Amino acid sequence: MISMIWAMDENWLIGKDNILPWHLPEDLAYFKRMTKEATVLMGDLTYDSLKGYYKTKPLPFKKIYVANIVDRAYPDATLVKDLIKFLENTKEDIMVIGGRTIYKLCLPYANRLYITHILNRYEGNVHFPYFPLSNYQLISKTMADQMIFAVYERPKL
Ligand SMILES: NC(=O)c1ccc[n+]([C@@H]2O[C@H](COP(=O)([O-])OP(=O)(O)OC[C@H]3O[C@@H](n4cnc5c(N)ncnc54)[C@H](OP(=O)(O)O)[C@@H]3O)[C@@H](O)[C@H]2O)c1
């Protein structure tokens, strides 16, 4: 199954250049909890952004796939050059962790969405691409300080 996880503010902002627009420890803790045993898929730019946060420490995932159109060798990850073929054929449980380009390409394949709704408006320049979220079924909703941890599922046709 393909799942996706992201945090967005009230304007669906998700990024400022190649970093997060906010520092919200409660959301970081949630992200870590939801991804630490996961096989994750991310874009090349998000990979570099995470490496910036973790510096020399290993990225805390079970297995890492990085999508990139051009060839690049990752010491700790497998390159995915043909993302659509990968999404159509994978039998693994995959958690998509960004960024904008990769979320947009993966959304049609994702069955479950873990969205942190940040109840505020920040400055930044990367927004989640609009899609009709109201078509998804809200499975759970947990209130926290300044944010809501929501889980949605694509309705079965
Ligand atoms: N708020 C959140 O939860 C959250 C989470 C993660 C990231 N973010 C934010 O998102 C932003 C980064 O997003 P981004 O869209 O700039 O970058 P990205 O999605 O991390 O990476 C894009 C990469 O995907 C590659 N790509 C594009 N189409 C592809 C395909 N069909 N197959 C394989 N690879 C493909 C691109 O290659 P080319 O360069 O060759 O086109 C590029 O290297 C940052 O601001 C980051 O902070 C936010």
Side-chain angles (χ1 to χ4, degrees):
M1 182 170 80
I2 311 252
S3 304
M4 314 212 313
I5 185 166
W6 74 91
M8 64 183 185
D9 81 355
E10 291 173 346
N11 290 325
W12 289 33
L13 181 77
I14 62 166
K16 185 178 183 182
D17 301 326
N18 206 25
I19 56 166
L20 292 174
W22 44 74
H23 178 70
L24 296 169
E26 204 171 355
D27 181 52
L28 286 179
Y30 177 75
F31 174 80
K32 280 187 186 167
R33 199 167 72 245
M34 302 310 288
T35 56
K36 76 173 192 280
E37 298 303 327
T39 295
V40 299
L41 166 68
M42 70 187 101
D44 180 63
L45 297 176
T46 295
Y47 176 83
D48 284 339
S49 177
L50 274 180
K51 284 284 181 187
Y53 286 114
Y54 280 92
K55 308 238 184 304
T56 54
K57 283 197 236 161
L59 298 182
F61 310 115
K62 188 171 85 178
K63 188 172 173 187
I64 305 171
Y65 290 102
V66 180
N68 199 341
I69 288 168
V70 296
D71 279 318
R72 176 175 169 191
Y74 301 96
D76 50 358
T78 303
L79 170 70
V80 173
K81 272 188 92 170
D82 190 336
L83 182 59
I84 301 306
K85 193 168 156 200
F86 174 82
L87 293 166
E88 282 174 352
N89 292 307
T90 186
K91 301 277 183 286
E92 293 177 275
D93 283 329
I94 303 281
M95 182 73 100
V96 179
I97 63 166
R100 183 186 196 281
T101 313
I102 298 312
Y103 286 136
K104 188 173 183 183
L105 292 166
C106 293
L107 187 65
Y109 300 89
N111 295 100
R112 189 172 295 167
L113 309 178
Y114 296 88
I115 306 178
T116 302
H117 296 282
I118 295 168
L119 307 174
N120 221 325
R121 286 168 194 204
Y122 287 81
E123 296 276 312
N125 52 3
V126 185
H127 291 81
F128 198 96
Y130 176 76
F131 71 101
L133 180 57
S134 56
N135 289 356
Y136 287 70
Q137 194 180 346
L138 181 65
I139 300 300
S140 75
K141 190 174 163 180
T142 308
M143 302 294 295
D145 184 28
Q146 294 180 70
M147 62 194 84
I148 298 169
F149 300 111
V151 183
Y152 300 84
E153 274 182 8
R154 177 191 298 284
K156 289 171 188 72
L157 296 175

